[in-house]
Amino acid sequence: TFPGVIIGVLTLVICGFAAVYFLGAKGFCTYGCPYGGAFAPIDRLATGRIRVTDACEHCGHCTAVCTSNVRIHEEVREFGMVVDPGCMKCLDCVSVCPNDALYFGFGRPSLAKGKPKNKKPKRNYDLTVAEETCFAIVLLILFCAFRGSYGTISMLLAIGIAAVVTFVFWKTWRLFRDQSVNFLHSRLRFKGKLQPTGVIFVVLSIVLLLLTIQMAVIRAFDWRAAYHESFITSPIELALQSNLPTMTHDELEHLRAADHYLRLSSSMADGGIGLINSRLPAVAMRRARVAIFLEQWDQAEEILRDMVYSRRSTEPVAKLYGWVLAKQDRSEDVWAFNTEIFERRPDFTEIASVLAQNHLVQDETELAIKTLRRAVDAAPDKMLVAGQLIQLLIYNDELDEASERLTRILEEVPNNPALWEQLAVVRARQGPEQGSAAIEAMRRGIDLQPVLPEAYRRLAQMERYFGQMEASEETLRKAGELEQLLKALSNDNQNWRSRWQLAVWNARQGYYARALNDAQKALIDLLTRMTDSEALSNNLPVQ
């Protein structure tokens, strides 16, 4: 979910440098960071704060060095501590105090700061209330315009860009309103005359305005496309595996509108107004989905081909591309593509599974096993290919490797009863010397899922196979008892007696957690029946 190198570098440049250059030290933290805004109310409850002793002489050194724009000397004078939530506890003020009067300590939170000792001095603000409101709206609009543009701009980057651009627009507005305007150490306008630096600033503002309008229009097109797409609810995978659904006239109109807006929001090279094309798989999937439902196969294939061979390709994109080829009866192209993409991305396990199945159809068992081995090594956490590989290894009598791989998987997921049963089968096929290990593995699987009579019967067969006749008969008896209990329970799901008998049975076998669970259900069923009977006897409606 992390952005790529380009967006990562841009985020650092905008939020770490441009925001500081335009908005001052910690500019992004102060004006843009959403986490700071969320933590500010909580900070009022914090007991750890910068506090002051009687040695303070109110010299103002602390305020001078504070990079968070906190007026420390005033706050410690009025409240005995720093109450501004903008304080980051960096301790710069503590280190610079000539009298060592400041310290970080615990005490009452700022919520209980009380009234200030002196009347708060009147402050002069750079923006009027009307300007503050207006530019807050501008910032929100800019954030919405930049957020997700080209499918790449992240939330923090969008906030940083919006804050910087809003500042530039505000300075430009002041250029045309005030007689003299400065930016940092540069004069933009002096006594009504625009300076060369001011001309450059205005040109920059115009460029940013045009880019912002373009971004906003692209986002508007994207939202309109998403609106029209919402009327098509059919899963694209299901449609490609069978037949495309028959579209109504209204659905076709929505699809054409979605295709139109998606084209407009793409790059100029593709007929849109964007400067670049999105390289995100999700965007490619959206465009391809609309093209498929419109049966524009060439367009869908082109969109997906461009994405599937890119660095950001994902397996769903590759699968969809293969389905598009198959839908056009190009089975040889599908086979060639799956083979090629698997060579490049062996971690695409679903494609590896399909390749292995094709190898098996062609009686190429060894090649299927080789394919699955490579997929498992590339993505060891994917159980689909791991299970297929183990089954093939068992079928091909490569029992040692199957046993080793099963043991390794069970170390990671020991609570899978099917895997324990599969390990039991492998052990049993390895020979009589593995009989005890096979039976133990089978019992481990039953312990994890002890309510399957068939599992007990398979254990009984295994015990009989390895000569444990008495144990086999006992296991068959348990299977019969369990089957009768489950049959009685299925005939009447609220039969508390059957539920209680099942709880007793589980307790006798040592499955105490399941016994407790069944006992609780039996008690609930009994209480429900008693309540219903009482309601009926009093002619009350049964709840």
Side-chain angles (χ1 to χ4, degrees):
T1 60
F2 284 95
V5 175
I6 296 176
I7 296 300
V9 171
L10 280 176
T11 302
L12 178 63
V13 170
I14 297 296
C15 299
F17 295 96
V20 173
Y21 181 77
F22 286 97
L23 305 176
K26 296 182 181 174
F28 181 80
C29 301
T30 304
Y31 303 109
C33 181
Y35 307 110
F39 292 150
I42 303 174
D43 183 75
R44 300 184 65 190
L45 303 174
T47 56
R49 318 201 71 81
I50 303 297
R51 301 180 185 276
V52 69
T53 68
D54 294 337
C56 178
E57 296 179 350
H58 311 294
C59 62
H61 280 76
C62 49
T63 300
V65 300
C66 180
T67 55
S68 298
N69 301 315
V70 177
R71 299 185 67 81
I72 298 172
H73 72 287
E74 290 181 1
E75 296 202 351
V76 296
R77 181 188 68 208
E78 302 300 329
F79 306 107
M81 59 181 172
V82 176
V83 299
D84 192 322
C87 174
M88 296 187 180
K89 321 297 189 294
C90 63
L91 305 185
D92 285 349
C93 56
V94 174
S95 65
V96 79
C97 181
N99 298 322
D100 294 329
L102 296 177
Y103 68 99
F104 178 83
F106 294 92
R108 71 183 192 280
S110 67
L111 192 64
K113 64 180 182 295
K115 295 182 178 180
K117 296 178 180 179
N118 301 291
K119 185 178 179 180
K120 193 174 182 180
K122 184 179 180 181
R123 292 187 180 181
N124 294 320
Y125 294 96
D126 291 330
L127 280 73
T128 63
V129 174
E131 285 180 322
E132 194 85 51
T133 304
C134 177
F135 284 106
I137 295 172
V138 169
L139 187 141
L140 179 62
I141 294 172
L142 291 175
F143 170 74
C144 294
F146 287 107
R147 174 73 172 97
S149 292
Y150 299 114
T152 55
I153 296 182
S154 60
M155 180 186 70
L156 292 182
L157 179 56
I159 292 174
I161 295 174
V164 170
V165 174
T166 301
F167 175 85
V168 173
F169 287 171
W170 168 68
K171 273 293 180 183
T172 306
W173 156 254
R174 282 295 179 94
L175 269 175
F176 293 98
R177 200 197 74 167
D178 299 342
Q179 291 294 309
S180 297
V181 178
N182 295 334
F183 172 61
L184 298 179
H185 302 293
S186 302
R187 290 185 184 273
L188 303 182
R189 189 176 186 183
F190 183 65
K191 293 183 179 180
K193 186 176 180 181
L194 196 63
Q195 304 297 306
T197 310
V199 174
I200 296 174
F201 199 91
V202 171
V203 171
L204 172 65
S205 182
I206 293 173
V207 171
L208 287 176
L209 177 62
L210 294 176
L211 288 174
T212 301
I213 292 173
Q214 184 200 41
M215 289 280 196
V217 172
I218 289 174
R219 293 296 290 149
F221 287 156
D222 187 67
W223 289 330
R224 289 297 297 171
Y227 166 76
H228 289 290
E229 287 176 87
S230 66
F231 288 90
I232 313 301
T233 58
S234 300
I236 188 65
E237 295 83 1
L238 184 63
L240 286 171
Q241 289 175 357
S242 55
N243 293 320
L244 290 176
T246 302
M247 296 290 173
T248 65
H249 175 74
D250 288 342
E251 288 177 328
L252 284 173
E253 289 299 313
H254 283 298
L255 279 170
R256 293 189 185 102
D259 182 57
H260 173 69
Y261 285 116
L262 284 172
R263 285 177 183 271
L264 288 176
S265 63
S266 61
S267 68
M268 295 179 183
D270 290 340
I273 65 170
L275 297 178
I276 59 173
N277 220 340
S278 171
R279 304 294 295 177
L280 280 188
V283 178
M285 294 279 280
R286 283 180 60 194
R287 296 182 61 198
R289 178 176 180 268
V290 172
I292 289 168
F293 279 123
L294 289 173
E295 299 189 40
Q296 298 172 351
W297 300 107
D298 291 341
Q299 181 181 339
E301 183 180 343
E302 181 181 353
I303 292 169
L304 292 171
R305 187 194 306 116
D306 182 57
M307 188 72 244
V308 82
Y309 289 109
S310 71
R311 181 179 57 84
R312 289 194 170 188
S313 178
T314 60
E315 187 164 15
V317 174
K319 284 172 53 184
L320 187 59
Y321 181 67
W323 281 336
V324 168
L325 295 178
K327 204 67 178 176
Q328 301 176 72
D329 296 326
R330 294 161 58 183
S331 55
E332 292 184 2
D333 290 344
V334 175
W335 175 261
F337 167 71
N338 284 340
T339 304
E340 179 187 1
I341 202 66
F342 179 69
E343 288 298 319
R344 297 174 63 241
R345 295 295 301 271
D347 57 314
F348 285 2
T349 52
E350 292 186 53
I351 290 178
S353 174
V354 172
L355 280 174
Q357 292 173 20
N358 288 336
H359 287 312
L360 288 175
V361 169
Q362 298 179 16
D363 202 21
E364 299 173 338
T365 306
E366 290 294 337
L367 196 54
I369 291 175
K370 181 180 178 182
T371 299
L372 291 173
R373 277 181 185 142
R374 188 178 175 192
V376 170
D377 292 341
D381 58 325
K382 297 297 180 65
M383 297 302 298
L384 171 67
V385 286
Q388 285 181 323
L389 174 59
I390 290 168
Q391 289 176 355
L392 271 182
L393 291 172
I394 296 173
Y395 173 79
N396 213 38
D397 280 332
E398 299 183 35
L399 301 177
D400 291 341
E401 183 181 349
S403 174
E404 180 186 347
R405 288 186 178 274
L406 270 171
T407 304
R408 196 184 310 157
I409 293 173
L410 283 167
E411 289 175 356
E412 300 294 330
V413 283
N415 296 325
N416 190 317
L419 290 178
W420 282 109
E421 187 169 338
Q422 200 170 35
L423 179 61
V425 172
V426 172
R427 298 287 196 210
R429 292 186 59 177
Q430 284 180 310
E433 65 278 3
Q434 294 290 337
S436 298
I439 293 172
E440 178 61 25
M442 195 71 187
R443 286 174 178 163
R444 287 285 299 273
I446 290 176
D447 288 344
L448 292 170
Q449 199 172 11
V451 290
L452 295 177
E454 285 303 317
Y456 283 93
R457 290 194 176 93
R458 286 192 289 271
L459 174 60
Q461 291 175 354
M462 191 169 290
E463 289 170 335
R464 181 179 294 275
Y465 178 77
F466 287 108
Q468 299 182 12
M469 299 302 178
E470 293 182 3
S472 176
E473 291 177 3
E474 176 65 17
T475 304
L476 280 174
R477 184 187 64 78
K478 291 180 181 179
E481 287 182 359
L482 179 59
E483 191 169 42
Q484 290 298 321
L485 288 171
L486 293 175
K487 185 176 180 180
L489 191 60
S490 64
N491 290 335
D492 186 357
N493 198 34
Q494 287 191 338
N495 188 342
W496 69 271
R497 291 187 180 87
S498 298
R499 182 76 68 181
W500 177 257
Q501 290 172 354
L502 183 60
V504 172
W505 188 88
N506 277 320
R508 286 175 179 171
Q509 310 309 316
Y511 306 129
Y512 300 114
R514 286 183 175 272
L516 180 60
N517 184 45
D518 288 328
Q520 289 174 339
K521 290 181 179 178
L523 180 60
I524 292 171
D525 290 345
L526 177 60
L527 293 174
T528 302
R529 290 203 169 208
M530 292 173 62
T531 304
D532 292 349
S533 299
E534 184 180 353
L536 288 172
S537 65
N538 291 288
N539 295 320
L540 297 174
V542 178
Q543 296 294 325

